[in-house]
Amino acid sequence: MVGEDAAVKHQKVGDFSINVAGGGESKCFDDDGRLKRTGTVWTASAHIITAVIGSGVLSLAWAVAQLGWIAGPIVMILFSFVTYFTSSLLSECYRSGDPVDGKRNYTYMDAVQSNLSALQVKICGAIQYANLFGVAIGYTIASSISMMAIKRSNCFHASGGKNPCRINSNPYMIMFGVVEIFVSQIPDFDQIWWLSIVAAIMSFTYSTIGLGLGIAKVAENGKVLGSLTGISIGTVTPMQKIWRSTQALGDIAFAYSYSLILIEIQDTLKSPPVESKTMRKATITSVAVTTLFYMLCGCFGYAAFGDQSPGNLLTGFGFYNPFWLLDIANAAIVVHLVGAYQVYSQPLFAFVEKTAAERYPESEFITREIQVSVPGFKAPFRLNLFRMVWRTVFVIITTVLSMLLPFFNDIVGILGAFGFWPLTVYYPIEMYVVQKKIPKWSTKWVCLQMLSAACLVISIMAGVGSFAGVATDLQVYKPFKTSY
């Protein structure tokens, strides 16, 4: 998600497609007429790590606390294995037909369209866009919590911890929403070249600070907290233990989600060797690095706080000092999520705008672009009235929903549960079965379907637990009024 969060775009030659004549190799262009791809195992690994390590890492200490020292690490390892395995299957679907010379699929949806039915394409699109809409809500909540954390850490420091420093999250969500309204008007914002670099720097900044503070806290305590089975009955009720444990599955699933941009990352790889072979190497490298980092963050966070592990490692105020370091970490989260919100919203923006233009081609409100001169810029700003209204309404809706349900852990769990099975498991398996023509009821087919069914059960459990968490939180939360 950029972190979880920065998408990789394929290269174009202006607005034209250039064909390479004669079937020979060109030094400048690939077989599809696009600029020669130069990506390697290491660049693809860097893209994946940048995409995976994001705001999802902040809830891992809480997730491990619900599951305990035995189940917590085991679940993370199992998720990493499933992610690697299904990503390997998905990488085989980059080309349709022949793995060397077959037609390239540039995006996840292109792969679905090439391998599955029209109905499946529509269902997958609906799930994908619903997931992106949910991510926008999750990022609004996470950024507002970080802004509040900066304010509260400074307040705690100034009062010596005597002031409870209760703050209402609504003004911070509105502030974030206003920024997103302006940023969303920038055409092709997600294609700005430095966006991925900033996302990578910010995500590693706050993730590393969280890990460092966890290690320091364990050293300060002089012992490792926590238990083999996780948060104990008594601290929570037996039913809460069940719901929280299943919700933890959703939080971990969200932390590993990057399948939506895997095909786009693969589209940057040079060939030969075959792109799928390079992608498998990049996937195992990046998933191994990510899992190690997640184990360190989740386990050290749990070791530091035990049953009291906060839902968000950097804003739950297990850490108070050094307050300036916490401020840096939370500022990095906010900067990261301002861009990540746009990167994840752009496909949804593009879909609605393209659909509207095709349905109402004669409408000037939808199609006309007004050139606006901006002082200090050579090129005029392209203002489209429909884009301005629609994107503003979108940001307002996500902001209001965030204010109604400002529960970081619950929303992360719901997003992880909702996106994990269909996008990370089901569609890669179904496309691979079609691509490789695996016979129905063969041993391989049965094993793949059993894996898909098991992951579906996990997703359902995680979703139910997360919705139960929302219901529990709503019992004490009053929309637009409660302060933290």
Side-chain angles (χ1 to χ4, degrees):
M1 278 174 191
V2 185
E4 298 91 21
D5 307 331
V8 182
K9 293 294 177 183
H10 52 253
Q11 296 171 310
K12 297 180 181 178
V13 186
D15 294 321
F16 301 94
S17 176
I18 301 177
N19 295 317
V20 181
E25 272 196 33
S26 167
K27 291 183 179 180
C28 299
F29 304 103
D30 272 327
D31 53 4
D32 60 344
R34 298 191 175 188
L35 286 176
K36 202 80 173 177
R37 294 160 175 84
T38 58
T40 63
V41 169
W42 302 112
T43 61
S45 298
H47 285 316
I48 295 171
I49 292 170
T50 300
V52 175
I53 296 178
S55 58
V57 74
L58 300 174
S59 63
L60 290 179
W62 182 89
V64 175
Q66 311 314 307
L67 299 169
W69 280 118
I70 296 176
I74 288 175
V75 167
M76 276 198 273
I77 291 171
L78 288 175
F79 268 99
S80 69
F81 171 76
V82 172
T83 300
Y84 164 69
F85 180 71
T86 57
S87 295
S88 298
L89 301 185
L90 183 58
S91 68
E92 296 288 344
C93 303
Y94 171 63
R95 287 184 184 267
S96 298
D98 190 275
V100 178
D101 300 317
K103 171 184 166 291
R104 296 175 188 262
N105 296 305
Y106 302 115
T107 66
Y108 190 101
M109 287 300 295
D110 287 346
V112 175
Q113 194 161 18
S114 296
N115 291 285
L116 302 177
S117 66
L119 177 60
Q120 288 279 44
V121 173
K122 291 179 180 179
I123 294 172
C124 181
I127 293 171
Q128 179 179 340
Y129 293 133
N131 192 58
L132 296 178
F133 180 75
V135 167
I137 295 172
Y139 285 172
T140 302
I141 295 169
S143 60
S144 69
I145 292 173
S146 290
M147 286 188 275
M148 289 166 59
I150 294 173
K151 178 75 173 176
R152 289 185 70 194
S153 69
N154 293 333
C155 174
F156 277 130
H157 179 73
S159 67
K162 297 175 182 177
N163 188 338
C165 303
R166 298 186 69 83
I167 302 172
N168 191 293
S169 62
N170 294 335
Y172 297 93
M173 291 189 185
I174 292 171
M175 192 185 309
F176 182 81
V178 169
V179 171
E180 293 299 344
I181 286 174
F182 283 101
V183 177
S184 68
Q185 302 307 318
I186 301 174
D188 302 323
F189 178 84
D190 58 321
Q191 296 184 37
I192 298 174
W193 67 269
W194 46 261
L195 197 62
S196 292
I197 297 173
V198 172
I201 293 171
M202 294 300 108
S203 62
F204 275 103
T205 296
Y206 63 74
S207 299
T208 305
I209 289 174
L211 174 59
L213 289 174
I215 294 171
K217 186 70 174 177
V218 172
E220 180 188 322
N221 292 340
K223 61 180 179 180
V224 173
L225 300 179
S227 65
L228 295 180
T229 56
I231 193 166
S232 55
I233 304 297
T235 305
V236 294
T237 65
M239 189 56 68
Q240 285 177 321
K241 171 71 175 176
I242 294 172
W243 294 141
R244 285 179 169 219
S245 297
T246 55
Q247 183 182 334
L249 300 177
D251 286 5
I252 295 172
F254 179 78
Y256 274 103
S257 61
Y258 78 98
S259 57
L260 276 177
I261 60 169
L262 182 142
I263 296 290
E264 290 182 291
I265 293 173
Q266 192 167 346
D267 192 43
T268 67
L269 298 177
K270 64 182 179 182
S271 178
V274 178
E275 297 91 352
S276 58
K277 184 178 180 180
T278 305
M279 199 63 191
R280 281 197 300 273
K281 292 180 180 178
T283 300
I284 195 168
T285 301
S286 54
V287 169
V289 170
T290 301
T291 301
L292 175 62
F293 192 78
Y294 280 179
M295 293 279 277
L296 289 171
C297 288
C299 293
F300 269 107
Y302 182 40
F305 301 110
D307 286 357
Q308 304 305 314
S309 295
N312 184 320
L313 192 60
L314 292 172
T315 63
F317 286 90
F319 304 119
Y320 292 93
N321 287 300
F323 78 100
W324 56 268
L325 191 59
L326 282 170
D327 288 353
I328 291 173
N330 282 297
I333 292 173
V334 175
V335 172
H336 181 201
L337 296 186
V338 166
Y341 181 105
Q342 290 301 318
V343 168
Y344 273 76
S345 299
Q346 289 297 321
L348 187 52
F349 289 162
F351 171 74
V352 171
E353 288 156 19
K354 180 183 177 183
T355 302
E358 289 174 349
R359 185 163 296 184
Y360 306 104
E362 305 300 324
S363 172
E364 288 196 4
F365 173 70
I366 293 174
T367 59
R368 184 186 175 193
E369 290 202 342
I370 303 168
Q371 305 290 332
V372 180
S373 298
V374 181
F377 291 87
K378 292 182 179 179
F381 177 74
R382 294 181 287 115
L383 176 65
N384 177 278
L385 293 178
F386 176 72
R387 181 173 64 225
M388 181 178 70
V389 172
W390 140 243
R391 295 189 181 190
T392 299
V393 169
F394 175 86
V395 174
I396 290 172
I397 291 173
T398 57
T399 303
V400 171
L401 289 175
S402 301
M403 293 162 69
L404 288 169
L405 301 169
F407 314 126
F408 177 73
N409 264 77
D410 300 331
I411 297 301
V412 166
I414 290 170
L415 291 173
F418 185 70
F420 173 66
W421 176 72
L423 301 177
T424 302
V425 180
Y426 173 76
Y427 280 108
I429 285 177
E430 291 303 306
M431 288 190 286
Y432 180 78
V433 166
V434 172
Q435 181 91 341
K436 299 300 180 182
K437 298 180 174 63
I438 298 174
K440 202 170 186 179
W441 302 112
S442 64
T443 302
K444 191 172 186 178
W445 184 89
V446 170
C447 290
L448 289 173
Q449 298 305 320
M450 287 174 64
L451 173 63
S452 181
C455 291
L456 172 60
V457 171
I458 291 172
S459 282
I460 291 172
M461 290 169 58
V464 170
S466 299
F467 278 110
V470 171
T472 301
D473 289 335
L474 285 174
Q475 291 176 7
V476 295
Y477 175 76
K478 295 181 180 178
F480 308 112
K481 293 181 181 179
T482 302
S483 297
Y484 295 94

